[in-house]
Amino acid sequence: MIRCFIGLGANLDDPAAQITIALRALASLPHSRLLRCSSLYGSKPLGPQDQPDYVNAVAELETSLEPLALLDALQAQEREQGRIKRRHWGERCIDLDLLLYGDLTMCSERLNIPHHEMHKRSFVLLPLTEIAADLHLPDGRAIAGLTPEFGGDLQRIGPPPQVC
C-alpha cells in the first residue's frame, strides 16, 4: 500500500457538502483506505476573482492502485459530482488533485507527482501540514518548512468531515 495525499476543493453547489461527498467516494475506492482528512479551510480564489470563495481540505489515503488508475478514479468522481470545466482556475463543484503518491516523482502528459503547484498554495500546505506535519516532498524538503506564494486569506472554517 502506498501513502497518498489528495487535495480537495469546491466553490459551487454547497462546497462543504461537495467535499464530504468526495471524501465518502475516496473512502469507498477499491484497494484503498481513507486514513485521515484535514479540517475544512476557506480561501479566496487563486484564479479569476469574480467567483465564490473556496472550501478546501486534504485527505490521506493508502492505496494499491497505480498512479494513473488513482487519477482515473479521481476524475471519474469529479464527473460523478457534475464537474464542468468552465475556465482555467475557475469555479467548480469539486476538484480532486493527486498531490503526493509515496515518494514517487512522475512527469507525464496526464499527471505530475508531486503536484507541480502544491508548494505554492496555502490551501494545500496548511491542511496537508495539519494531518502530516512530518511529511517531506520526494526531493527532501519538509512540507512544514515551505512558504506558499498564494495565501488566499486562508482560514479554518470547520472540523474534518464526519467521514474521516
Side-chain angles (χ1 to χ4, degrees):
M1 298 288 272
I2 303 293
R3 183 180 181 203
C4 303
F5 293 89
I6 312 297
L8 302 96
N11 72 342
L12 296 176
D13 303 331
D14 191 353
Q18 294 290 343
I19 300 261
T20 300
I21 292 166
L23 287 167
R24 284 190 186 121
L26 289 176
S28 67
L29 277 178
H31 313 290
S32 304
R33 187 166 61 111
L34 181 63
L35 299 176
R36 288 185 282 190
C37 55
S38 72
S39 300
L40 297 178
Y41 289 83
S43 73
K44 299 291 180 197
L46 174 63
Q49 296 298 298
D50 63 339
Q51 60 181 310
D53 288 352
Y54 276 81
V55 175
N56 296 283
V58 170
E60 181 179 1
L61 186 75
E62 274 186 342
T63 188
S64 60
L65 295 173
E66 293 295 321
L68 289 175
L70 181 54
L71 176 66
D72 289 341
L74 296 178
Q75 291 175 339
Q77 183 58 36
E78 288 176 337
R79 286 189 302 276
E80 175 73 22
Q81 286 185 240
R83 178 173 173 178
I84 298 169
K85 187 165 184 168
R86 295 179 169 102
R87 55 185 170 161
H88 184 63
W89 287 343
E91 50 282 308
R92 58 199 69 185
C93 62
I94 193 67
D95 184 33
L96 301 172
D97 289 329
L98 179 51
L99 303 172
L100 293 163
Y101 184 92
D103 290 330
L104 180 69
T105 298
M106 175 181 177
C107 186
S108 75
E109 189 174 301
R110 288 193 62 213
L111 181 60
N112 293 310
I113 304 172
H115 187 283
H116 63 284
E117 296 286 324
M118 66 176 278
H119 66 284
K120 298 179 180 179
R121 300 170 174 175
S122 63
F123 60 83
V124 171
L125 292 179
L126 190 58
L128 184 55
T129 301
E130 177 187 324
I131 62 172
D134 62 339
L135 190 66
H136 289 75
L137 293 173
D139 67 8
R141 290 182 293 163
I143 292 291
L146 298 176
T147 303
E149 294 173 12
F150 177 75
D153 294 332
L154 189 71
Q155 295 183 1
R156 183 180 180 277
I157 58 172
Q162 291 297 316
V163 174
C164 301

